[in-house]
Amino acid sequence: MIFATLKENTSFKKVYLLGLIFGGGLMLILALSEVLALGVNQTLTHYFPGYQTFARVSVGGTIDRLEIISGITFIIGGFIKISVLLLAISRGTAKIFNLKNYRNIVTSIGLLVANLSYVFYKSTMVMFQWIADYWGYFAVPFELIMPVLLYVIVKIKRRMIVFSKD
């Protein structure tokens, strides 16, 4: 859904790989800093170890309590993630129902997602418990099988189009 907005002459593979390398590098740096500051056991026991890492930072005894930086980062990151997912859901739903403009349904889908989030997760602990118990069953089909299947279908369709033009 996001790559559809790129210019035609821009290689989506280059953009994807650069983003993947950049994001992976940031995650590696964050994980290393958490383990080095908190230790392995405490990193695994905290729900948000990045927040705990910033809480322990003290520069010269005068600059401390920097967890506000972590909190602001969580809020901005969450906003961006929800915005991108809302855009993808809205565009996908508009394509499924053959709507000309996806903007007409963004508010409705946003309100539906907000209400469902309150229904499904009563607290952060319930969310993390659900992830530990059930997410693995959802991750394999939605994050591995479906993308590979869609990639194969697109390749087959492109070949059929090329052969039909000849």
Side-chain angles (χ1 to χ4, degrees), residues 6 11 26 34 96-97 101 157 162:
L6 294 176
S11 171
L26 284 178
E34 290 169 358
I96 288 172
F97 293 112
N101 193 354
K157 280 188 172 185
V162 168

Side-chain angles (χ1 to χ4, degrees), residues 35-74:
V35 170
L36 291 173
L38 299 175
V40 175
N41 289 333
Q42 283 197 352
T43 300
L44 294 175
T45 57
H46 288 295
Y47 285 116
F48 301 105
Y51 187 80
Q52 294 298 323
T53 303
F54 272 100
R56 289 189 177 196
V57 171
S58 178
V59 179
T62 57
I63 301 174
D64 55 355
R65 308 288 296 171
L66 296 175
E67 61 266 17
I68 189 70
I69 296 171
S70 178
I72 290 170
T73 304
F74 281 143

Side-chain angles (χ1 to χ4, degrees), residues 101-120:
N101 193 354
Y102 71 91
R103 293 180 177 142
N104 298 332
I105 59 172
V106 172
T107 305
S108 302
I109 291 175
L111 291 172
L112 179 67
V113 167
N115 285 326
L116 287 177
S117 70
Y118 287 116
V119 170
F120 288 137

Side-chain angles (χ1 to χ4, degrees), residues 88-155:
I89 290 169
S90 300
R91 283 186 172 180
T93 304
K95 279 191 184 255
I96 288 172
F97 293 112
N98 292 325
L99 300 174
K100 294 182 191 247
N101 193 354
Y102 71 91
R103 293 180 177 142
N104 298 332
I105 59 172
V106 172
T107 305
S108 302
I109 291 175
L111 291 172
L112 179 67
V113 167
N115 285 326
L116 287 177
S117 70
Y118 287 116
V119 170
F120 288 137
Y121 303 120
K122 302 292 183 207
S123 68
T124 303
M125 282 68 78
V126 172
M127 180 191 72
F128 278 109
Q129 187 62 44
W130 186 88
I131 289 170
D133 293 341
Y134 301 110
W135 179 245
Y137 301 115
F138 289 94
V140 171
F142 287 110
E143 293 181 7
L144 181 69
I145 296 172
M146 282 183 65
V148 170
L149 185 65
L150 287 172
Y151 181 75
V152 169
I153 290 171
V154 167
K155 285 293 187 184

